[in-house]
Structure formats: C-alpha cells, structure tokens
Amino acid sequence: MTQQMETARRVPLSRDRVLEAAVRLADEVGIELVSMRRLAQELGVVPMALYKHVANKEELLDGMVGTLVGEIDPPVGDAGWKTAVKLRVLSARRALLRHPWGRPVLESRTNRTPAVLGYMDSFIAMFLAGGFSVDLTHHVMHALGSRMWGFTQELFDDPAGQAAGGQAEMHPEVQAAMYREMAARYPSILQVAMAATHDDGQVVGQGCDDQFEFEFALDLLLDGFERLHHQDWTSKRAKLDQGWSDAIG
Amino acid sequence: MTQQMETARRVPLSRDRVLEAAVRLADEVGIELVSMRRLAQELGVVPMALYKHVANKEELLDGMVGTLVGEIDPPVGDAGWKTAVKLRVLSARRALLRHPWGRPVLESRTNRTPAVLGYMDSFIAMFLAGGFSVDLTHHVMHALGSRMWGFTQELFDDPAGQAAGGQAEMHPEVQAAMYREMAARYPSILQVAMAATHDDGQVVGQGCDDQFEFEFALDLLLDGFERLHHQDWTSKRAKLDQGWSDAIG
DNA sequence: ACCTGAACACCGTTCAAGT
DNA sequence: ACCTGAACACCGTTCAAGT
C-alpha cells in the first residue's frame, strides 16, 4: 500500500494516468464521489497538479467518455445496417453496464469531443451504407438519440444506493397497506405492476427485465426506420427543397 | 423592493410559498443557481428556515416537479388512445419549454412521488382504455420512457450558456478550417449536417427543428405501438405465463 | 519556469446555543 | 418548544508565494 503510493508518486503524472485513475475511481466508488480533490488524493498528488493535464473537471469527464467509447466494438462490416446498428448499440450497452458512471456522465456532456463525434460519424455511416437517404438518416439519428449509447431515460431508475429486493425487509402489514394505497390511487400502475411481477407484492419498476425492455424499444425503432426506408420516406422539409431544386435547376 | 422583502418576511413561510419561490427562481436564473442558501435569501429568510417545510433539497426538487405536473393538461377523454397520448405528451413538452429546469430535474428524480405516479397512472390508463393488453401496455410504457415528459435525451443538447447562432462571430478562415477538419475526420456527420442546414456553414446540431424531430420519433413509436396492438402482440414472457396458466388451470 | 499551499466563493446539512 | 448562527465537511478553481 505504502509502496504502491510511493510508486505512484514516482511515476510522473500524465493525462492518460489521470484519466485511467478517474475511470478506476468511478468504477469503484461511483461517479458522485469522483472529485478533483479525491482523484488527486488517490494519485498521491496535490489537487492543483491535475490541472496541468486537464483544463477542468468538464475536460476530465470528456476524457472519461473517450475511454468508454474506446471499449465499444467497432461496427461489423459484413452484415446489413440493421444488424450492424443493433450490435453496436448492444456493445455500447455492455460497456455502460461495466461502467455505470457512463450514463450520468454522457447525459451531462455538452462538448463535441472527437471521441463522441467519431462514434456518431460511424453510426451515420452505417445508415448511409445501408442505402438510407441523407434526410432520413438525419431524422433517424435524432430518433435514436441517446439509445445510441445503449441506455434509455427510464421512468424510474434505481437510485444508486437502493439494491434490488429492498422490499423483502418490509413487514407484511406495511406491504398490505401500500398495496391498498396503490389500488386506490394508482389502479392502472398496479395492474401493470402485478402482471409484470407475478403477484410477489413488489411495486412497479422492480422485477422488470431491463435488457428486454431496451431491446423492445430499440427493435420498435429499427423496424420503424426500416419501414420508412423501404417506402422512400422523405420529410416535408426535404420534399420542399427538392421542389426548389427542380424549379431552379 | 425593501417593502417587498419586508412583506415577504411578514407572511409566514409555507411549503407552497417555498415551492413557488423555487420555481420562480429556477425560471429566472436557471436550476444550477437554485441552492437552498440562494432560495432562502430570495425569501428573506435564513437557510435553515427552509428545512421546516422541505426535508432536504431532494424533496424541494420533488415538489417542483409536482407543480410542473400540475401544469400539464389532463388527458382528453373523447379521442382514441393515440390522439390522447400524443396530445398529453405535447402538453408536457410545452410545460417543459416554459420551465427549462424541468428536464434536468426530472432526469435526476428517483423518488416515486404522488404527482409522478399519478401522471404515469393516467398514461397507463390511456393505453388500457384503448384496448391494449396489460402486457403490451407495460412494454409500451418502457419504450415511451422519458418521452412521456415531452423530451428526448438528445445527442448534443445546447449548453445552457450557448445561444443559437454563436457561429456567426467566427472568422471565415476559422470556419473554413473547421469545415476541412470535419470533412476529413467526420465525413458522414458533415453530409447530414450540410443537408440539414443548407450550406450555411454551420455544424451539426444547429439548425435542427427540435419540435419536428421530437414528433418524428414520437410518431414512429406510436405507429409501432399501434401495429403491435393490432396484431395482438405478446411478449414471450407473457406467452410463457399463459402456457403455465393453461397447464395448471 | 514550475509547482503548490492557502484562499476564495461557494455547497447541503448538523448541531448546539440562544430565545 | 421553537428558531437560528456557527460550524462541519465538503466542492471547483484562482492566485500569489515559494522553490
């Protein structure tokens, strides 16, 4: 331990070492505990030393996203666009499951870093290679949105602290009371929740198969994309421009 | 001003006054500047005084979401499920456009407050009333996800500070250099961006019609829901359970 | 020129002292 | 019993003093 820290202190800091340590720290203790100060401490360094390798915390987070993108499989070239897109999204999803901090960090990113632009570019290229018009590709990319990264903004995401099965510790009476309360106030939620969880008395959100739900929505979108593509769908805006081109051309 | 503050000090604090002030403050200065301390100052009160009306900041944010939900139109009863769902989502979207803080706050919510549960419940009820099976309703709600609130997690959302048209201040040379850089590194992005912005030299993300893109994806999903509903789609899991019921019933 | 301790301007929340 | 100032344990980042 002491030896490790001394070794760490001997090796000079570098942007890569900083990012690597940030990723490891976020994996271990969660992103909410990753502060410049804590990260510096982890590296056996004074906080200000980090600022020579990253301009500020935003840039640190951008860098972390970069390493995340690096873990996503490159697109397969031999399958159709649909398979290629799906495989890539699912690969991104696996990367995000390995690094739970990826989601909140991606959501908060606002800088167009090369890593993110490159990832987006390769997605667009898959659609174009599949014969999609530039116009349809544009809208389809918007529709995909953050699902490109393998996550969806869910109704209720599990709070960081709350492990699954927390319900098990409740007294039957309390559970019964909650049940009656739900039945009175939120009858529709209860109906769906009961069907999904098979009357084991859990409330909505628990007991859902996240992977299934993600792929359900993804397939729904991809099928929709395919349908529009086959019928040569064009947005009114693009149609209008086509009219203009015809008129002036 | 002084009189206002004194009046404010005279009227006793209440949960409603706290929430109302929080909403107004967030509308005016942005959510990132809404702190317990700043809010207290705005109310002419010592920070700790707030804690008698909200347990902590989380509960304050939950309360703000409550007032937001209150601004969303109730479901129309006489149209079909598709119209009812779409109108409600678009109403939520308008509420969110009036209160830009709603999105980040909703994204960060993890508590199942009555307001949110009630909103969800009414959505589920719309699908069930439309004849959707409980099973399909469940998956469809997941697929809808945060789109229920009228927003999508976009690839790049405009950073809070950056107004549209910031590009206009760039020198032509810089713009040309950026253009060449994009062409070399992200050819597919450039293709789409140019088509979307009609060669006025802007980069991707600018010049998109957010409302169009939102409705494009929403319609794609709703059409998908409709198709599955018409063909009596059932998840394998529900099919399996049906088999079990048949076997043991 | 490089490095870094101290400081600045904030947080949310606890807690004990004052009324 | 109620209220609140001071304090605690943090932030990200600036800046000037030290080597």
Side-chain angles (χ1 to χ4, degrees):
Chain A
M1 181 65 188
T2 312
Q3 208 172 23
Q4 255 187 28
M5 275 187 58
E6 276 178 34
T7 311
R9 200 170 296 159
R10 229 187 310 272
V11 178
L13 268 194
S14 69
R15 194 182 150 88
D16 279 349
R17 274 198 66 226
V18 169
L19 292 182
E20 193 191 303
V23 166
R24 188 164 35 77
L25 185 60
D27 284 342
E28 282 171 13
V29 306
I31 191 68
E32 63 277 8
L33 293 181
V34 176
S35 66
M36 298 299 273
R37 293 167 118 105
R38 172 77 187 263
L39 178 57
Q41 181 191 300
E42 217 76 16
L43 283 161
V45 143
V46 87
M48 279 314 296
L50 300 176
Y51 285 83
K52 207 175 2 215
H53 302 101
V54 288
N56 47 38
K57 197 180 180 181
E58 285 289 285
E59 203 182 290
L60 177 80
L61 295 175
D62 283 339
M64 290 174 71
V65 168
T67 76
L68 190 73
V69 173
E71 288 188 21
I72 303 173
D73 297 331
V76 299
D78 43 1
W81 67 268
K82 209 175 175 183
T83 315
V85 167
K86 184 160 181 182
L87 285 177
R88 196 119 204 264
V89 170
L90 294 183
S91 170
R93 184 174 173 82
R94 285 192 301 273
L96 237 43
L97 289 175
R98 285 193 299 273
H99 304 294
W101 48 265
R103 238 198 77 159
V105 171
L106 276 168
E107 279 173 355
S108 70
R109 284 321 69 209
T110 185
N111 296 332
R112 289 139 211 238
T113 59
V116 170
L117 286 171
Y119 185 67
M120 250 180 76
D121 193 70
S122 76
F123 256 91
I124 294 175
M126 282 188 270
F127 285 113
L128 294 177
F132 279 54
S133 74
V134 171
D135 176 51
L136 181 54
T137 299
H138 174 202
H139 301 303
V140 141
M141 284 295 294
H142 274 282
L144 204 56
S146 70
R147 232 175 282 259
M148 182 177 68
W149 296 107
F151 70 83
T152 328
Q153 173 76 33
E154 276 283 352
L155 298 326
F156 293 116
D157 292 297
D158 296 319
Q162 178 190 314
Q167 293 261 337
E169 303 194 28
M170 264 205 265
H171 282 74
E173 316 144 36
V174 181
Q175 226 166 16
M178 265 188 61
Y179 190 92
R180 279 195 304 274
E181 176 83 2
M182 288 284 290
R185 289 176 116 87
Y186 318 113
S188 302
I189 292 182
L190 191 72
Q191 237 185 108
V192 167
M194 279 187 57
T197 56
H198 312 271
D199 16 0
D200 52 1
Q202 289 182 321
V203 286
V204 72
Q206 312 278 9
C208 290
D209 183 341
D210 286 343
Q211 184 70 23
F212 178 88
E213 303 304 345
F214 181 80
E215 294 195 36
F216 174 85
L218 179 61
D219 287 336
L220 213 57
L221 284 171
L222 294 180
D223 288 347
F225 298 170
E226 190 171 44
R227 205 166 285 118
L228 293 179
H229 175 37
H230 280 162
Q231 67 197 46
D232 288 319
W233 180 93
T234 300
S235 68
K236 281 181 202 126
R237 187 171 168 178
K239 275 182 206 149
L240 211 86
D241 292 340
Q242 190 53 45
W244 265 100
S245 299
D246 291 349
I248 63 175
Chain B
M1 179 67 186
T2 313
Q3 206 171 23
Q4 254 187 29
M5 275 186 58
E6 277 178 32
T7 311
R9 201 170 294 159
R10 228 187 311 273
V11 178
L13 267 195
S14 69
R15 194 183 150 88
D16 279 351
R17 275 197 66 226
V18 169
L19 293 182
E20 193 190 303
V23 166
R24 188 165 34 77
L25 185 60
D27 283 343
E28 282 170 14
V29 304
I31 192 66
E32 63 278 8
L33 292 181
V34 174
S35 66
M36 297 299 274
R37 291 167 119 105
R38 172 77 186 264
L39 178 58
Q41 181 191 300
E42 217 75 15
L43 283 160
V45 142
V46 86
M48 280 313 297
L50 300 176
Y51 285 84
K52 206 173 5 215
H53 302 100
V54 288
N56 47 40
K57 197 180 182 183
E58 286 288 285
E59 203 182 290
L60 177 80
L61 296 174
D62 283 339
M64 291 174 71
V65 168
T67 76
L68 190 74
V69 172
E71 288 188 21
I72 303 173
D73 297 331
V76 299
D78 44 0
W81 66 269
K82 210 174 174 182
T83 316
V85 167
K86 184 160 183 184
L87 285 177
R88 196 119 205 263
V89 170
L90 294 183
S91 169
R93 184 174 173 83
R94 286 192 301 275
L96 236 45
L97 290 175
R98 284 193 300 273
H99 304 294
W101 48 266
R103 238 198 78 159
V105 171
L106 276 169
E107 279 173 355
S108 71
R109 282 327 64 210
T110 185
N111 295 333
R112 289 138 211 239
T113 59
V116 170
L117 286 170
Y119 185 67
M120 249 181 78
D121 193 69
S122 76
F123 256 90
I124 294 175
M126 281 188 269
F127 286 113
L128 293 178
F132 279 55
S133 74
V134 172
D135 176 50
L136 181 55
T137 299
H138 174 203
H139 301 303
V140 140
M141 283 295 294
H142 274 282
L144 203 56
S146 70
R147 231 175 282 258
M148 181 176 68
W149 296 107
F151 70 84
T152 327
Q153 173 76 33
E154 277 283 352
L155 297 328
F156 292 116
D157 291 297
D158 296 319
Q162 178 189 315
Q167 292 261 337
E169 302 194 28
M170 264 205 266
H171 282 73
E173 317 144 35
V174 181
Q175 225 166 18
M178 265 186 63
Y179 191 90
R180 280 195 305 275
E181 176 82 2
M182 288 285 289
R185 290 175 116 88
Y186 319 112
S188 302
I189 292 182
L190 191 72
Q191 238 185 107
V192 167
M194 280 187 55
T197 58
H198 312 271
D199 12 1
D200 52 1
Q202 289 183 322
V203 286
V204 72
Q206 313 277 13
C208 291
D209 183 341
D210 286 344
Q211 185 71 23
F212 178 88
E213 304 303 346
F214 181 80
E215 294 194 35
F216 175 85
L218 179 61
D219 288 337
L220 214 56
L221 284 171
L222 293 181
D223 288 347
F225 298 170
E226 191 171 43
R227 207 165 283 118
L228 292 180
H229 176 36
H230 280 160
Q231 67 197 46
D232 288 320
W233 180 93
T234 299
S235 68
K236 282 182 201 124
R237 188 170 166 179
K239 276 181 204 147
L240 211 87
D241 293 340
Q242 190 53 46
W244 264 101
S245 299
D246 291 349
I248 63 174

